[in-house]
Amino acid sequence: MSEFNTISLNIDNQIATLTLNRPNAANSMNVELSREVMLASIEIDENPDIRAVIITGAGKMFCAGGDLSAFAADPSKASTIIKEITTYMHAAVARFARMEKPVIVAINGMAAGAGFSLAVAGDLVLCADSAKFTMAYTGAGLSPDVSASYYLPRLIGMRKTQQLMLTNKVLTAEQAYDWGLVTEVVAADDLQQAAQTMAAQLVNGPTLAYGQIKQLLLTSYDTGLESQMELEARGIGKMANTNDGLEGVSAFLAKRKPVFTGS
């Protein structure tokens, strides 16, 4: 397993836990952290023993977004630095979206800017009851990145997305839940255990079927009805021939609990 400086990657019981680990800088995204997140996404994707992923942050904040101090250090290179960060982060988010393994994001505090974008890009999103969310970009004269303009309109609609992006409205955890941005709100002290419990449940599930679901949902807004149904037909046909598909049908008919192996 690779060694990292700004994140940690722990693999245990087929669960990969990726922790943003710059707590003294609010886990903000600089070039190094972004590159390491991208490398970790590759390592997770390529490891067949991993069947669920948790992304979280060290310390009191999930992620404050881009590291503005890195941009301000040399204004003449700010655009270059930002493009390098987005190249790495966009590659990571795309890989998390397209890997078969379900991705849980556990938001342990403020998620701002690109931290907000990363937070809502998960397949399942848990947040502490003390968490807060804000786009923050226009407050620094910037525009969104890290998939926000893709996911937010799909999750909450255009009007609410415009409000978040143009006004930097701050949402509480309960508001984020009510708006449909997160899956579940839990007590702050219970967040990591809740994420582990959810991941453990997914680890015992049909990993390939989870991956097929992820692919279908990624295309559902951009594909016509008949084309989408053809993708569904091909997907379920493919799943029926997997070991887990055969086991699931057999277990259902035998009225027993299936034992899935992720294959």
Side-chain angles (χ1 to χ4, degrees), residues 143-182:
S143 57
D145 60 356
V146 193
S147 79
S149 62
Y150 178 88
Y151 280 113
L152 284 180
R154 287 164 169 76
L155 289 168
I156 62 175
M158 186 60 72
R159 284 289 174 254
K160 287 182 177 178
T161 297
Q162 289 168 321
Q163 182 182 11
L164 289 177
M165 291 184 174
L166 296 174
T167 72
N168 299 319
K169 178 180 176 65
V170 178
L171 298 180
T172 65
E174 289 297 335
Q175 287 173 319
Y177 177 77
D178 290 340
W179 281 34
L181 286 167
V182 303

Side-chain angles (χ1 to χ4, degrees), residues 92-198:
V93 168
R95 188 160 287 107
F96 286 128
R98 297 186 184 282
M99 67 176 57
E100 292 164 344
K101 300 133 194 200
V103 177
I104 300 166
V105 182
I107 306 161
N108 51 303
M110 174 64 78
F116 189 159
S117 303
L118 177 62
V120 298
D123 300 312
L124 296 163
V125 183
L126 302 180
C127 77
D129 53 9
S130 56
K132 288 185 170 59
F133 302 79
T134 180
M135 277 275 94
Y137 290 97
T138 59
L142 302 172
S143 57
D145 60 356
V146 193
S147 79
S149 62
Y150 178 88
Y151 280 113
L152 284 180
R154 287 164 169 76
L155 289 168
I156 62 175
M158 186 60 72
R159 284 289 174 254
K160 287 182 177 178
T161 297
Q162 289 168 321
Q163 182 182 11
L164 289 177
M165 291 184 174
L166 296 174
T167 72
N168 299 319
K169 178 180 176 65
V170 178
L171 298 180
T172 65
E174 289 297 335
Q175 287 173 319
Y177 177 77
D178 290 340
W179 281 34
L181 286 167
V182 303
T183 308
E184 187 178 346
V185 178
V186 301
D189 290 344
D190 298 333
L191 176 66
Q192 298 305 326
Q193 183 56 55
Q196 288 290 329
T197 299
M198 181 176 284

